[in-house]
């Protein structure tokens, strides 16, 4: 249980860029597994020491694919992840708090330990065209994602969680 598991879903590329930035930085500190929500399985959760979940907010809640991951994996690992560290990153057009609350409630059910408040990156996409467009997030805007990945990787390597 020494690896950091980063699970993400991305429809327009924003969340994927966030997850990849975190993973790249975390790899400098230790073992990292980066999986899409579609590919992640209960066994992956059981083998990890800490988790970083990254998803877009759609209609004030988690994206469907990320929610499906939690629906599929929730009960098979219930009671087996207690106390493990987690953090979350949300890519949102304007707010992100609805998705963050939803993910936090799921993590609370798993008895995960939140190590920092949700990191919400706002793309300011407000029109249907902007919301559906492929996202490009500038490196400077991705730096908080890298910092979080680095910190989680280092904390795991040092045995903090």
């Amino acid at each position: 249980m020494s690896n950091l598991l980063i699970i993400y879903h991305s429809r327009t590329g924003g969340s994927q860029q966030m997850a990849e930035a975190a993973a790249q930085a975390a790899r400098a500190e230790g073992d990292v597994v980066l999986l899409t929500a579609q590919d992640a399985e209960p066994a992956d959760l059981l083998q990890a020491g800490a988790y970083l979940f990254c998803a877009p907010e759609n209609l004030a809640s988690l994206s469907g694919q990320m929610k499906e991951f939690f629906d599929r994996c929730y009960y098979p690992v219930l009671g087996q992840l207690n106390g493990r560290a987690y953090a979350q990153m949300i890519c949102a057009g304007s707010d992100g708090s609805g998705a963050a609350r939803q993910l936090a409630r799921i993590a609370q059910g798993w008895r995960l330990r939140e190590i920092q408040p949700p990191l919400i990156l706002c793309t300011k996409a407000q029109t249907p065209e902007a919301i559906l467009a492929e996202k490009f997030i500038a490196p400077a805007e991705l730096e908080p994602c890298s910092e979080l990945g680095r910190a989680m990787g280092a904390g795991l390597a040092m045995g903090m969680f």
Side-chain angles (χ1 to χ4, degrees):
M1 291 193 318
S2 63
N3 69 315
L4 172 62
L5 177 59
I6 301 174
I7 299 174
Y8 74 95
H9 173 251
S10 189
R11 186 177 311 275
T12 61
S15 296
Q16 181 176 354
Q17 291 169 64
M18 294 170 70
E20 288 174 348
Q24 182 178 5
R27 285 189 181 107
E29 303 295 335
D31 294 331
V32 177
V33 175
L34 177 66
L35 294 173
T36 65
Q38 182 176 345
D39 293 333
E41 297 292 335
D44 299 309
L45 290 160
L46 293 170
Q47 293 171 5
Y51 312 99
L52 180 53
F53 302 109
C54 182
E57 180 177 66
N58 292 339
L59 303 172
S61 63
L62 282 173
S63 65
Q65 189 68 41
M66 193 67 164
K67 177 68 169 63
E68 194 280 331
F69 153 74
F70 285 117
D71 288 344
R72 183 169 36 83
C73 294
Y74 187 83
Y75 290 107
V77 301
L78 187 62
Q80 299 176 67
L81 308 179
N82 297 7
R84 295 186 195 180
Y86 90 97
Q88 61 171 305
M89 300 185 300
I90 304 294
C91 187
S94 59
D95 182 50
S97 63
R101 277 192 307 276
Q102 187 179 18
L103 199 154
R105 287 189 63 139
I106 294 165
Q108 181 181 17
W110 271 343
R111 307 294 190 264
L112 298 179
R113 181 170 44 99
E114 183 181 62
I115 61 162
Q116 80 160 40
L119 190 163
I120 299 174
L121 193 149
C122 182
T123 64
K124 298 179 179 62
Q126 295 298 302
T127 65
E129 296 78 19
I131 291 167
L132 296 171
E134 282 294 313
K135 305 297 184 284
F136 172 77
I137 301 175
E141 293 178 276
L142 289 172
E143 188 54 33
C145 304
S146 298
E147 290 172 8
L148 177 55
R150 190 175 303 110
M152 290 193 75
L156 196 54
M158 291 187 295
M160 294 175 58
F161 32 83

